[in-house]
């Protein structure tokens, strides 16, 4: 069974190989270790291994980890946010990956005491089970968000469709990149939109080939609590 160091080494090799294939620089890519299913002890081990970006998808998981973990971490919130939870989490995180409706933008603007770096979640695949803005509504959504200036739209986020077909996944990631390029070309002060949050344990290599700047890796990096070995 691989330990944390070995898992990280394997991921780094895969990232570097994807960069080499596509002429990208490793420094463009941030690995967010998704610790939502593991203990604070395991999350601390990730920080000790020099991965400083941690991702959580529930307020309770975020608070629990922040209480237990004493070393510095950069916190990414990657899950759906209920509007009534915004005030509890918004000033405790560095990045929010899951802005998926205007009421959430308004609530963030109201509750944040600083500008929050956000990704707009886009439902590229159109699956009914997925949250996110429809691609066709994205431009007007972002224009409408301009007045809520505590929300800084740094990029777009998506989840791959539920399939093992690499080509289908690739098309979704490529579409997100094209949407990102269209928005960043407008040079809107509130929406620089240079970043792309896409790719998880099973598809981060494709995501990097298609331009991901943030990959959100859970199980392949942090392992599973049931495995015992950190
Ligand atoms: C759980 C989760 C991940 C990580 O998933 P793995 O398959 O374990 O890598 C990434 N992004 C989001 C939004 C998640 O909820």
């Amino acid at each position: 069974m691989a330990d944390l160091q070995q898992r990280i080494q394997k991921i780094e090799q895969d990232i570097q190989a994807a960069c080499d294939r596509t002429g990208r620089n490793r420094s463009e890519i941030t690995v967010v270790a998704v610790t939502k299913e593991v203990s604070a002890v395991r999350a601390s081990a990730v920080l000790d291994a020099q991965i400083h970006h941690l991702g959580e998808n529930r307020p309770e998981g975020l608070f629990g980890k922040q209480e237990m973990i004493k070393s510095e971490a950069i916190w990414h919130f990657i899950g759906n946010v209920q509007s009534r939870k915004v005030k509890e989490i918004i000033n405790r995180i560095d990045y929010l990956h899951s802005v998926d409706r205007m009421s959430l933008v308004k609530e963030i603007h109201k509750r944040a005491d600083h500008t929050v770096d956000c990704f707009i979640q886009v439902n590229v695949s159109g699956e009914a089970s997925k949250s996110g803005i429809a691609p066709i509504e994205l431009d007007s959504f972002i224009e409408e968000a301009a007045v809520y200036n505590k929300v800084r739209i740094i990029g777009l986020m998506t989840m791959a469709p539920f399939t093992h077909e690499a080509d289908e996944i690739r098309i979704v990631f490529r579409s997100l990149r094209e949407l990102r390029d269209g928005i960043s070309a407008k040079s809107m002060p509130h929406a620089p939109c240079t970043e792309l949050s896409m790719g998880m344990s099973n598809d981060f290599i494709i995501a990097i080939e298609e331009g991901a700047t943030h990959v959100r890796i859970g199980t392949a990096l942090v392992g599973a609590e049931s495995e015992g070995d950190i």
Side-chain angles (χ1 to χ4, degrees):
M1 208 176 302
D3 67 12
L4 179 62
Q5 230 17 285
Q6 291 169 314
R7 288 192 300 266
I8 291 174
Q9 204 169 40
K10 170 80 169 77
I11 288 167
E12 278 302 328
Q13 284 167 357
D14 288 348
I15 292 176
Q16 190 58 56
C19 285
D20 291 346
R21 281 195 296 281
T22 50
R24 299 191 64 195
N25 194 320
R26 169 67 184 88
S27 64
E28 297 167 16
I29 297 149
T30 299
V31 172
V32 179
V34 177
T35 49
K36 66 188 186 194
E37 279 171 0
V38 299
S39 66
V41 171
R42 201 172 270 260
S44 295
V46 170
L47 293 172
D48 291 343
Q50 301 305 313
I51 292 182
H52 302 290
H53 294 258
L54 300 185
E56 286 285 328
N57 71 337
R58 286 170 190 281
E60 302 72 39
L62 176 74
F63 304 153
K65 298 282 190 332
Q66 288 184 333
E67 198 162 308
M68 301 284 295
I69 295 174
K70 293 302 163 213
S71 23
E72 279 293 308
I74 299 161
W75 295 99
H76 296 251
F77 199 87
I78 61 170
N80 288 341
V81 188
Q82 292 174 280
S83 294
R84 62 189 177 85
K85 295 284 183 183
V86 167
K87 62 176 182 299
E88 295 171 30
I89 67 164
I90 204 65
N91 294 312
R92 307 178 62 146
I93 60 174
D94 299 293
Y95 296 91
L96 178 59
H97 289 241
S98 45
V99 173
D100 60 357
R101 58 193 189 278
M102 196 53 66
S103 58
L104 182 57
V105 171
K106 292 177 186 171
E107 187 65 13
I108 295 166
H109 181 74
K110 186 168 154 194
R111 303 292 185 177
D113 58 21
H114 63 294
T115 304
V116 186
D117 284 337
C118 296
F119 294 82
I120 305 298
Q121 185 168 352
V122 185
N123 186 357
V124 178
S125 64
E127 288 164 293
S129 60
K130 286 201 161 66
S131 45
I133 306 295
I136 191 144
E137 288 162 7
L138 190 60
D139 280 344
S140 59
F141 183 88
I142 290 177
E143 277 162 31
E144 201 185 324
V147 291
Y148 306 105
N149 59 18
K150 295 238 186 79
V151 175
R152 185 165 176 263
I153 300 170
I154 63 163
L156 304 180
M157 178 274 218
T158 202
M159 310 266 285
F162 294 112
T163 174
H164 291 291
E165 294 293 327
D167 288 345
E168 262 179 68
I169 295 171
R170 187 178 296 281
I171 287 167
V172 166
F173 289 160
R174 190 168 296 173
S175 302
L176 194 73
R177 183 183 67 200
E178 288 166 357
L179 289 166
R180 189 272 317 261
D181 291 346
I183 295 158
S184 64
K186 297 188 195 175
S187 305
M188 292 176 279
H190 77 292
C193 204
T194 50
E195 312 300 306
L196 278 177
S197 169
M198 57 191 196
M200 319 201 314
S201 290
N202 292 326
D203 51 31
F204 71 88
I205 297 172
I206 303 174
I208 288 170
E209 289 171 351
E210 295 302 328
T213 62
H214 293 70
V215 287
R216 311 176 308 267
I217 309 182
T219 43
L221 197 161
V222 301
E225 217 51 62
S226 57
E227 277 175 22
D229 253 18
I230 288 183

